[in-house]
Amino acid sequence: MIQIDRRLLLRSSLLGLGAAAVPGWALAPQVGFTHHVASGEPGPTSILLWTRFVGKADESRLRVELSERPDFARIAGGGDGVAQAEHDHIVKITVTGLTPDRWYHYRFIAPDGTVSPVGRTRTLPVGETRAFNLGVFSCSNIGFGYFNAYGHAAARRDIDLMLHLGDYQYEYRRGEYPDAAETPPGRLVEPAEATVHLAEYRARYAAYRRDPSLQALHARFPMILMWDDHESANDSWEGGAEHHDPATDGPWSVRKAAAVRAYREWMPVSDDDWAEYRIGDLAALFRPEERLTARTKQLSLVATAMAGKADLNAALARFRDGPWSDPAHTLMGPKQEAWFAARMQAAAKTTKWQVFAQQVNVGLTRMPDVAAEWLPKDAAPGISAYIQAAIAGAKLGLPFNMDSWNGYPAARSRMLKTGLDADANLVVLSGDSHNAWAFDLIEDGAPAGVEFGGHSVTSPGYESELRGVDPARVATALVTASPELRWADTARRGYMTVALTPERVTTEWLFLDTIRTPSLALSGRHRASVRRGARRLEV
């Protein structure tokens, strides 16, 4: 049963009204504490605390206090740091010396005595841990609708830690994705231009972080975050991106550096590209980096099909046996893969579950033949070409999403073998796709783990392209065509919860009734779980 704090539910409902009804959206303070508070990077005795403070000078030294009591009658810890104009007036303070497995209240105090809004956070447990609950989010495009998923989760009392698996914000110019007709009132993105330079990335984060539901979520829970592609540009990789043109946008290295800097300023995160978090003896949670440090460029089924139209099957077979299978084609790169293998070996000996919380789907998905019937007559030529190439590729054993682990089979195999070699109870969490998935992960014929793929907060799923097609029919066809896929939902928005216990991990997908207007009503939910040692789902 979902545990909801009714007072917070009411508050989140009011906050979720956004720009259309809450004057504070457009009139966020330009001085003082401008964007509430947030926390992240939890450890057993430490936590990173975040705020933004614009003072009269370019530098303002702030103090932070933590207390187990909401009235701060007894201070349990704190620290100080400087909010500098050079870093967009943001300060991040890591407080140490805290008690494991403990909830804290925290607040920042400015030089003039001004006090920030109060936040709530927690440390991670050590030793025997009987239960721990995660909230999981991804793909939150402000232009497509209201962040009702954030508001719903912010009012809950049964979650310990939030995860955001990437695409926290989107880089597109206003009117591009979504277009003006798809944008609900009050959800116009700022700035109007695409984010290419540091000032634009900063302004985009500032706009997102003014969202009241997002502020409520950050204020109530610590969050572990990672970037995916849209924090820089669509389909980004180490050396470029689909949505980057050097002729107009300048060098990719400059844009990438700006994106990373703004992200690390505006998010409650460390500067580590990848990290591991221990939840007592219950779980090790891995946060990898799969976009900007070592990923090789994505391959294209459509380009292969177009180039090989004279003999499509032969062209796709060459693609399958050549570029697609290349062992050098990687998401994480050799250095991170070595780190992951070493940490997985250690974690499997000391924790019951090993959670790989990352950006893109690992489970294999293949396009069913019937997909050719799903496209509307006015489908964009690119979508039609993609479906036709994916159907042809499926007949040769090829998956259709080359931007995910599906497009990097040798790297996928190495990652799954890392878990098998360690005798791990591997649970993969993923975002990016906008749709909900449950996979059994198979490596060389053996069960290697399970995957819970999260649906988006607002970004559209397959329903946006397959207008008029029954989503249940789409899901059934995908499950039938994809041996690892056990369940899917391709039409609804929301978030996941993941309940960890020593013997079982249970995931629940929660579907919000709408994103077009502020609402915290649910339209449905679905559960799947895995028993420790089984490496197969119960759906």
Side-chain angles (χ1 to χ4, degrees), residues 503-517:
E503 296 305 320
R504 184 178 292 274
V505 172
T506 302
T507 288
E508 184 170 56
W509 291 263
L510 294 108
F511 302 106
L512 274 296
D513 183 60
T514 183
I515 60 171
R516 300 294 297 177
T517 59

Side-chain angles (χ1 to χ4, degrees), residues 18-285:
V22 180
W25 173 282
L27 301 176
Q30 300 303 305
V31 296
F33 292 101
T34 64
H35 284 78
H36 222 276
V37 297
S39 66
E41 301 296 342
T45 60
S46 64
I47 192 73
L48 185 153
L49 305 175
W50 179 102
T51 196
R52 184 173 188 265
F53 180 84
V54 180
K56 295 179 180 179
D58 285 346
E59 294 189 357
S60 300
R61 180 166 291 277
L62 305 182
R63 186 170 82 255
V64 68
E65 296 177 338
L66 292 91
S67 177
E68 294 180 36
R69 296 176 51 163
D71 62 2
F72 290 83
R74 186 167 54 250
I75 303 301
D80 60 80
V82 178
Q84 297 175 305
E86 180 185 358
H87 295 292
D88 212 6
H89 303 281
I90 285 162
V91 63
K92 298 191 292 186
I93 301 172
T94 298
V95 178
T96 60
L98 302 174
T99 302
D101 199 17
R102 196 66 55 90
W103 284 98
Y104 290 96
H105 304 274
Y106 65 95
R107 64 187 180 187
F108 291 85
I109 303 172
D112 62 1
T114 304
V115 179
S116 73
V118 174
R120 189 186 74 143
T121 192
R122 64 162 296 153
T123 52
L124 298 181
V126 295
E128 183 180 10
T129 304
R130 303 300 301 171
F132 199 87
N133 297 328
L134 307 172
V136 185
F137 305 86
S138 63
C139 305
S140 40
N141 187 321
I142 202 169
F144 276 108
Y146 288 85
F147 292 161
N148 295 332
Y150 292 155
H152 189 276
R156 294 182 63 159
R157 297 182 297 173
D158 57 347
I159 298 177
D160 296 293
L161 174 66
M162 301 297 179
L163 306 179
H164 201 293
L165 304 182
D167 295 343
Y168 184 100
Q169 61 92 357
Y170 282 68
E171 82 279 12
Y172 297 101
R173 63 176 171 81
R174 185 187 298 169
E176 182 177 3
Y177 182 73
D179 62 32
E182 295 174 298
T183 304
R187 301 305 279 180
L188 290 178
V189 69
E190 296 290 346
E193 62 269 17
T195 55
V196 176
H197 307 100
L198 179 60
E200 294 154 356
Y201 281 111
R202 284 173 167 173
R204 186 63 54 87
Y205 281 111
Y208 272 67
R209 291 293 298 273
R210 284 196 298 269
D211 181 88
S213 294
L214 180 53
Q215 286 187 355
L217 187 68
H218 273 302
R220 290 284 296 167
F221 299 94
M223 185 181 289
I224 292 173
L225 302 104
M226 61 203 73
W227 61 60
D228 193 21
D229 52 339
H230 290 290
E231 287 84 354
S232 53
N234 183 54
D235 285 359
S236 54
W237 55 287
E238 188 275 333
E242 180 274 334
H243 194 212
H244 180 82
D245 182 356
T248 56
D249 300 328
W252 170 246
S253 61
V254 175
R255 184 179 186 180
K256 180 169 72 170
V260 169
R261 176 170 176 173
Y263 184 87
R264 287 179 170 160
E265 288 172 343
W266 277 87
M267 298 293 100
V269 297
S270 73
D271 289 344
D272 296 328
D273 287 331
W274 50 80
E276 176 193 358
Y277 309 83
R278 288 295 179 100
I279 305 171
D281 68 349
L282 184 59
L285 191 151

Side-chain angles (χ1 to χ4, degrees), residues 150-444:
Y150 292 155
H152 189 276
R156 294 182 63 159
R157 297 182 297 173
D158 57 347
I159 298 177
D160 296 293
L161 174 66
M162 301 297 179
L163 306 179
H164 201 293
L165 304 182
D167 295 343
Y168 184 100
Q169 61 92 357
Y170 282 68
E171 82 279 12
Y172 297 101
R173 63 176 171 81
R174 185 187 298 169
E176 182 177 3
Y177 182 73
D179 62 32
E182 295 174 298
T183 304
R187 301 305 279 180
L188 290 178
V189 69
E190 296 290 346
E193 62 269 17
T195 55
V196 176
H197 307 100
L198 179 60
E200 294 154 356
Y201 281 111
R202 284 173 167 173
R204 186 63 54 87
Y205 281 111
Y208 272 67
R209 291 293 298 273
R210 284 196 298 269
D211 181 88
S213 294
L214 180 53
Q215 286 187 355
L217 187 68
H218 273 302
R220 290 284 296 167
F221 299 94
M223 185 181 289
I224 292 173
L225 302 104
M226 61 203 73
W227 61 60
D228 193 21
D229 52 339
H230 290 290
E231 287 84 354
S232 53
N234 183 54
D235 285 359
S236 54
W237 55 287
E238 188 275 333
E242 180 274 334
H243 194 212
H244 180 82
D245 182 356
T248 56
D249 300 328
W252 170 246
S253 61
V254 175
R255 184 179 186 180
K256 180 169 72 170
V260 169
R261 176 170 176 173
Y263 184 87
R264 287 179 170 160
E265 288 172 343
W266 277 87
M267 298 293 100
V269 297
S270 73
D271 289 344
D272 296 328
D273 287 331
W274 50 80
E276 176 193 358
Y277 309 83
R278 288 295 179 100
I279 305 171
D281 68 349
L282 184 59
L285 191 151
F286 298 95
R287 171 180 63 80
E289 199 293 302
E290 299 174 356
R291 280 290 174 189
L292 301 180
T293 60
R295 179 193 271 251
T296 50
K297 187 176 182 179
Q298 301 90 335
L299 301 172
S300 172
L301 263 182
V302 173
T304 299
M306 295 298 290
K309 284 190 292 186
D311 192 342
L312 180 59
N313 285 342
L316 289 172
R318 289 193 297 271
F319 171 83
R320 179 196 61 198
D321 299 336
W324 184 67
S325 299
D326 185 357
H329 196 41
T330 180
L331 281 85
M332 298 198 298
K335 182 179 178 181
Q336 189 179 178
E337 286 186 9
W339 168 83
F340 179 62
R343 296 311 304 160
M344 178 64 79
Q345 284 285 343
K349 293 181 175 69
T350 54
T351 60
K352 295 177 175 64
W353 298 98
Q354 295 73 49
V355 181
F356 190 48
Q358 50 83 63
Q359 295 89 337
V360 294
N361 278 2
V362 174
L364 298 174
T365 47
R366 294 176 183 150
M367 192 65 69
D369 286 349
V370 71
E373 304 171 10
W374 296 344
L375 290 174
K377 293 181 180 179
D378 61 346
I383 296 296
S384 180
Y386 176 79
I387 293 290
Q388 295 298 333
I391 291 172
K395 299 181 188 305
L396 296 173
L398 287 166
F400 59 79
N401 185 356
M402 294 294 149
D403 184 54
S404 72
W405 286 88
N406 286 214
Y408 299 75
R412 179 192 124 110
S413 180
R414 291 193 297 269
M415 186 272 290
L416 294 177
K417 284 180 179 177
T418 290
L420 286 172
D421 290 347
D423 195 26
N425 285 284
L426 178 65
V427 173
V428 175
L429 306 178
S430 56
D432 179 69
S433 75
H434 306 178
N435 304 291
W437 315 91
F439 291 99
D440 286 330
L441 301 176
I442 308 299
E443 173 54 33
D444 198 21

